Amino acid sequence: MPEFTASAAAGRVERHSLRVPMGSPPTDVVSLAMGEPDFATPEPIVAAAITALHQGATHYVHQHGDPELRSALAAEVSTLAGQSFSDDQLLITHGASAALAAAILAVVDPGDKVVLPEPGYSLYGDLVQLAGGTPVFVPAASDLHWDLDALRTALPGAKLIVFSNPCNPTGVVHSKEELVELAAILHGTGTLVLSDEAYSAIVYADGAFHSALATDDLRARTIYCQTMSKTFAMTGWRLGYLAGPADVIAAAARIHRTFNGCVNAAVQRAALAALAQGPAAIDPMLTAYRERRDVLFDRLADIPSLSAPRPEGTFYAFARYDAPIRSVDLTARLRESGVLVRPGAEYGPSGEGHIRLSFAPDIPTIHQAMDRVAMSLKEIT
Ligand SMILES: Cc1ncc(COP(=O)(O)O)c(C=O)c1O
């Protein structure tokens, strides 16, 4: 076996990644670490995939996406944006993960500055490292919303800003006013915006969510990232998409077809069935998440060393703990006590001192997990 040295790109990601491998869980462990719905994909979507397979959707398809799905998504995005998007402004991808990779690798050159408000989704930093860019983390304000003054200072000269709205891991929903303010900061610059709206359907207050695409002064510089994973409980299907300026999408398509080729043909037919379901698919799940959120917050209220703002969206609570222990070590201790959570430091430097608790699992699981969290924290504090 010749001596192997990983590429510089792989080495950069390994050195800088904040992501903590979870490994295989011990037996009798309960998990609040999961980033996915515990619901089955709605039956009409499953049926559409099976029918598509029987009808021969077993071949390569267009590398930018199934034309019918691309058109349907262009129509959807046009409605969201209040402005017409053509099919060549749409790219179907292998989940949001590949959408984010395609967008970042299409835009970021070695040495480019990329602003990452944090705590934020940990994949962004790794992808910027893969591209050779320089991530600049900008900590949130104390209410976990953006610190707009800090962003104003950090953004000049940035090629790109990347964020999720609603935010994984904090559950914050960035308001229309925040987006308008961001637009004002970026006015007259060449900075692009990558808005990851994976959780846009999981928002608890009516009308609280506002897309970057629906923000007039942001739209022209926005690369919109979306996925079927969370909205339709389709994490394993791997179907996402990008929408944005045609030249950016063409560059992203070049990257995506280089890494991924085309997306699974039958899954793209099933995605059409998901779109036809629309909000009817998410409503029962949203009702369940709301109940689970209430249960989790009732339990948090009884643990004096843990506090979290009530999430406005997503199915995560980002809880600050009062104990002299690093979040990775606390996570390891909790794991020994039989409960999995994610360490706050995974989401950026200011995430230290926090853990992320998912309330996507069912209510008995949340109770069992919080029993263990409470007991373990009592021993530590
Ligand atoms: C904010 C955010 N964006 C993107 C993704 C990835 O989604 P997908 O399953 O479509 O790759 C996740 C998954 O947890 C996420 O939390």
Side-chain angles (χ1 to χ4, degrees):
M1 166 83 180
E3 199 173 311
F4 170 71
T5 310
S7 69
R12 275 196 308 277
V13 177
E14 189 181 347
R15 270 196 312 286
H16 295 283
S17 183
L18 300 175
R19 311 188 107 190
V20 180
M22 295 296 283
S24 43
T27 50
D28 190 30
V29 84
V30 281
S31 179
L32 299 187
M34 68 207 272
E36 60 171 338
D38 76 333
F39 299 100
T41 304
E43 186 48 37
I45 303 173
V46 176
I50 293 168
T51 303
L53 285 167
H54 285 309
Q55 288 177 345
T58 55
H59 298 272
Y60 291 131
V61 283
H62 195 294
Q63 290 193 324
H64 294 191
D66 177 304
E68 197 180 334
L69 179 61
R70 223 170 151 211
S71 290
L73 290 172
E76 187 121 322
V77 167
S78 301
T79 305
L80 177 67
Q83 184 180 300
S84 176
F85 273 65
S86 56
D87 292 6
D88 65 355
Q89 292 183 271
L90 247 292
L91 174 68
I92 317 283
T93 61
H94 191 77
S97 304
L100 293 163
I104 289 174
L105 288 163
V107 167
V108 177
D109 275 320
D112 280 347
K113 171 160 113 177
V114 180
V115 168
L116 303 177
E118 59 99 9
Y121 183 43
S122 48
L123 181 61
Y124 309 148
D126 287 11
L127 289 170
V128 173
Q129 291 293 349
L130 188 63
T134 306
V136 175
F137 287 115
V138 178
S142 56
D143 63 357
L144 297 178
H145 280 260
W146 290 329
D147 180 338
L148 288 160
D149 288 335
L151 284 177
R152 193 174 287 106
T153 305
L155 277 165
K159 188 77 166 279
L160 182 69
I161 172 171
V162 190
F163 55 82
S164 60
N165 186 27
C167 177
N168 172 11
T170 61
V172 158
V173 174
H174 295 291
S175 65
K176 181 176 179 183
E177 291 70 32
E178 279 175 276
L179 292 162
V180 167
E181 187 64 32
L182 177 65
I185 294 171
L186 295 178
H187 182 75
T189 72
T191 306
L192 293 171
V193 169
L194 177 50
S195 182
D196 174 356
E197 301 183 10
Y199 297 90
S200 62
I202 306 174
V203 173
Y204 301 104
D206 282 347
F209 178 72
H210 192 79
S211 172
L213 277 188
T215 310
D216 286 341
D217 296 335
L218 270 188
R219 189 177 306 115
R221 62 175 79 242
T222 293
I223 311 166
Y224 171 79
C225 171
Q226 190 52 274
T227 172
M228 303 262 158
S229 284
K230 319 286 174 173
T231 309
F232 297 102
M234 290 176 69
T235 47
W237 296 66
R238 314 307 304 132
L239 200 292
Y241 57 98
L242 288 175
D247 51 355
V248 178
I249 294 301
R254 245 168 263 131
I255 301 290
H256 192 270
R257 74 171 184 233
T258 305
F259 272 59
N260 303 92
C262 72
V263 172
N264 184 310
V267 166
Q268 294 192 70
R269 304 307 295 170
L272 279 163
L275 288 182
Q277 288 260 299
I282 181 75
D283 281 352
M285 296 189 233
L286 202 52
T287 302
Y289 294 144
R290 196 177 270 115
E291 285 168 12
R292 294 170 185 188
R293 182 182 63 154
D294 290 345
V295 169
L296 181 76
F297 274 76
D298 283 350
R299 297 299 309 261
L300 281 173
D302 289 335
I303 306 178
S305 54
L306 269 188
S307 60
R310 219 175 173 75
E312 301 156 305
T314 74
F315 34 62
Y316 306 117
F318 201 58
R320 170 183 285 281
Y321 58 83
D322 195 7
I325 182 171
R326 292 185 323 145
S327 58
V328 275
D329 297 329
L330 176 58
T331 304
R333 286 283 287 270
L334 291 172
R335 183 188 167 100
E336 281 163 26
S337 314
V339 57
L340 301 180
V341 302
R342 309 284 319 191
E346 177 170 338
Y347 304 99
S350 72
E352 190 48 272
H354 296 76
I355 49 175
R356 191 196 74 174
L357 306 166
S358 167
F359 50 91
D362 61 18
I363 288 173
T365 304
I366 293 173
H367 276 303
Q368 203 184 3
M370 291 310 286
D371 288 345
R372 294 178 185 188
V373 168
M375 201 143 65
S376 193
L377 274 170
K378 216 172 186 173
E379 283 165 14
I380 293 169
T381 54

